Amino acid sequence: PSCMCVCLGDVSGKGIPAALLMSNLQATLRGQVLQDRTPHSCIGKSNLLLFKSTDMDKFATLFYGVLNTETHEFHYCNAGHNYPFLIRTNGETVRLDIGGLVLGALEDFSFEESTIQFMPGDLLVIFSDGISEATNSSDDMYGEERLERFVVENRDRSPADIIEAILD
């Protein structure tokens, strides 16, 4: 089948150590994807490799999904990342929370996987805490609830317009 993979990750720390951890995660994940693994086994193997190659205080969150472009089935695994949401055309929201712990925390962890069916007009929102924890001049966080509400209310706009509006 014809497939498209999508992922978004975040790593602990800042600066050069964090950049090296993200580079390690990206290379590890890419190696697993090339072996045509399911999302949960890809994440599980990546977790093991990351656990063995990083310090105990280093970890990463990762959302990883594979879309079958013929059947519109989306198989995903969420390793401790912000729960993306799928917004249906009627405004119903489904949180993509199946998966497990952050990567690198435990050597042997059995990640779960789930499948959702995309329908015409559905909108998938994958984000990091850089969006949900952004603050305004009054130090109020944007928050996941506000993000979800904004996207639901603006779901008829183009994805590019929605992204630009969120960043504004």
Side-chain angles (χ1 to χ4, degrees), residues 41-162:
S41 70
C42 182
I43 294 296
K45 184 68 172 174
S46 295
N47 175 68
L48 177 63
L49 294 171
L50 203 63
F51 179 86
K52 291 185 175 203
S53 65
T54 59
D55 294 336
M56 293 295 289
D57 62 340
K58 301 292 182 200
F59 62 89
T61 65
L62 181 72
F63 176 82
Y64 174 70
V66 178
L67 175 64
N68 181 317
T69 58
E70 295 168 6
T71 65
H72 307 287
E73 288 182 333
F74 187 69
H75 304 270
Y76 74 90
C77 181
N78 191 337
H81 197 73
N82 299 80
Y83 299 152
F85 39 89
L86 175 68
I87 299 173
R88 303 286 188 188
T89 55
N90 66 2
E92 174 193 357
T93 301
V94 179
R95 296 304 293 258
L96 279 58
D97 58 355
I98 303 299
L101 296 175
V102 297
L103 299 176
L106 295 174
E107 182 174 6
D108 187 24
F109 186 83
S110 182
F111 289 88
E112 295 181 53
E113 176 178 319
S114 189
T115 302
I116 56 173
Q117 182 73 41
F118 279 11
M119 303 303 290
D122 285 349
L123 182 63
L124 178 63
V125 180
I126 306 170
F127 62 97
S128 71
D129 60 10
I131 296 295
S132 59
E133 294 179 6
T135 57
N136 62 15
S137 58
S138 302
D139 248 7
D140 297 321
M141 271 201 279
Y142 191 62
E144 291 187 15
E145 295 79 18
R146 188 181 299 174
L147 174 63
E148 181 180 339
R149 190 170 49 250
F150 178 84
V151 177
V152 167
E153 291 169 359
N154 291 275
R155 67 187 178 277
D156 294 328
R157 295 170 68 179
S158 73
D161 285 349
I162 293 172

